[in-house]
């Protein structure tokens, strides 16, 4: 009887100690455009959604690949900056965003492995690089992008994760908003004219690829 109890206790401990190398899931949220035809990322909110895949080398770092689709729009009416002859411009575009990011968790994130002082939740920072394909009124434009943001992860169960994230993405193209360009007659630069978009999203991911709990040296 004692042996059976010890065996059950060991199996439960082993289950609690399991960690995984990958996760996969999806995210939905709100997108916002910031550029020549919008003064705020909240002026013309749109839908965003996508899928992601993470590699989890340890409890503090993650490498993530994402494919997102953003619905963006803008309108110059009511803005202080105006086009020549007080003309107005509005647009609707779809931005396809593919890229990779590095995430840094402020706390060691996970369940189990109590000796590592894992926490069930952690804030994190993310930075990456990618490409954006924007389509507007039948025209398509491609540009590199740099996403930067912060978020919060919470482990619902051993293999299920809930997350909320805010990112700002700078696009090295001035045509996310279609043909509108150089509204203030200033040459495009990192801070001027090139377009940005934001994304506030909620994600749900599932972990897989069991990590080796104990590594044995074989001569």
């Amino acid at each position: 009887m004692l042996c059976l109890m010890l065996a059950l206790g060991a199996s439960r401990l082993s289950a609690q100690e399991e960690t995984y190398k990958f996760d996969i899931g999806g995210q939905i949220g709100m997108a916002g455009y910031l550029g020549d035809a919008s003064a705020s990322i909240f002026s013309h909110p749109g839908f965003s959604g996508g899928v992601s895949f993470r590699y989890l080398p340890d409890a503090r770092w993650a490498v993530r690949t994402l494919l997102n689709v953003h619905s963006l729009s803008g309108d110059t009416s009511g803005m202080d900056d105006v086009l020549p002859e007080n003309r107005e411009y509005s647009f609707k575009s779809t931005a396809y965003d593919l890229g990779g990011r590095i995430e840094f968790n402020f706390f060691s994130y996970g369940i189990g492995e109590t000796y590592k002082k894992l926490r069930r939740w952690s804030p994190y920072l993310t930075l990456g690089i990618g490409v954006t394909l924007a389509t507007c009124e039948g025209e398509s434009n491609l540009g590199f992008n740099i996403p930067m943001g912060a978020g919060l992860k919470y482990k619902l169960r051993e293999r299920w994760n809930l997350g909320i994230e805010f990112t700002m993405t700078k696009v090295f193209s001035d045509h996310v908003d279609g043909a509108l360009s150089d509204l203030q007659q200033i040459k495009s630069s990192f801070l001027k004219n090139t377009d940005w978009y934001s994304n506030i999203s909620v994600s749900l991911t599932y972990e897989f690829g069991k990590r080796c709990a104990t590594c044995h040296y074989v001569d």
Side-chain angles (χ1 to χ4, degrees):
M1 184 68 176
L2 179 60
C3 292
L4 178 60
M5 292 176 64
L6 290 174
L8 288 174
S11 65
R12 288 177 182 174
L13 179 61
S14 176
Q16 291 175 353
E17 297 292 317
E18 290 178 355
T19 59
Y20 301 87
K21 296 182 289 185
F22 311 101
D23 79 17
I24 191 169
Q27 56 277 345
I28 59 172
M30 183 189 80
Y33 156 81
L34 181 63
D36 292 324
S38 179
S40 167
I41 58 174
F42 302 107
S43 298
H44 306 278
F47 172 82
S48 70
V51 293
S52 72
F53 173 83
R54 277 192 186 95
Y55 168 56
L56 310 168
D58 58 38
R60 298 296 290 271
W61 293 92
V63 180
R64 189 179 184 190
T65 301
L66 301 97
L67 173 62
N68 284 318
V69 180
H70 308 290
S71 176
L72 306 176
S73 62
D75 193 335
T76 61
S77 62
M79 292 180 57
D80 293 332
D81 298 327
V82 297
L83 291 165
E85 301 175 357
N86 291 320
R87 289 183 294 111
E88 295 181 354
Y89 179 85
S90 63
F91 79 95
K92 291 183 179 180
S93 71
T94 302
Y96 301 89
D97 184 335
L98 174 65
R101 304 179 189 176
I102 295 176
E103 296 176 356
F104 172 72
N105 301 323
F106 283 80
F107 307 135
S108 294
Y109 177 70
I111 293 179
E113 297 183 316
T114 53
Y115 69 95
K116 290 185 178 181
K117 299 181 179 180
L118 299 181
R119 294 198 184 189
R120 197 164 186 158
W121 64 278
S122 178
Y124 66 93
L125 296 176
T126 182
L127 179 67
I129 188 169
V131 292
T132 297
L133 175 65
T135 61
C136 181
E137 297 181 352
E139 297 289 333
S140 297
N141 289 277
L142 187 69
F144 289 102
N145 69 49
I146 297 180
M148 55 200 87
L152 180 69
K153 301 174 182 177
Y154 177 73
K155 190 165 283 294
L156 294 170
R157 301 187 65 180
E158 182 185 30
R159 301 173 73 168
W160 288 96
N161 305 278
L162 181 68
I164 183 169
E165 181 179 275
F166 172 76
T167 57
M168 286 294 298
T169 300
K170 175 180 173 53
V171 187
F172 290 87
S173 166
D174 200 20
H175 298 288
V176 170
D177 47 20
L180 184 62
S181 180
D182 298 334
L183 179 61
Q184 303 183 53
Q185 303 301 309
I186 299 174
K187 185 178 179 181
S188 295
S189 66
F190 186 85
L191 295 177
K192 294 292 184 180
N193 291 337
T194 44
D195 297 326
W196 296 69
Y197 53 82
S198 66
N199 186 22
I200 301 174
S201 64
V202 176
S203 64
L204 182 65
T205 63
Y206 178 77
E207 295 180 5
F208 65 99
K210 190 181 298 184
R211 195 186 307 276
C212 176
T214 303
C215 295
H216 302 280
Y217 176 74
V218 179
D219 192 356

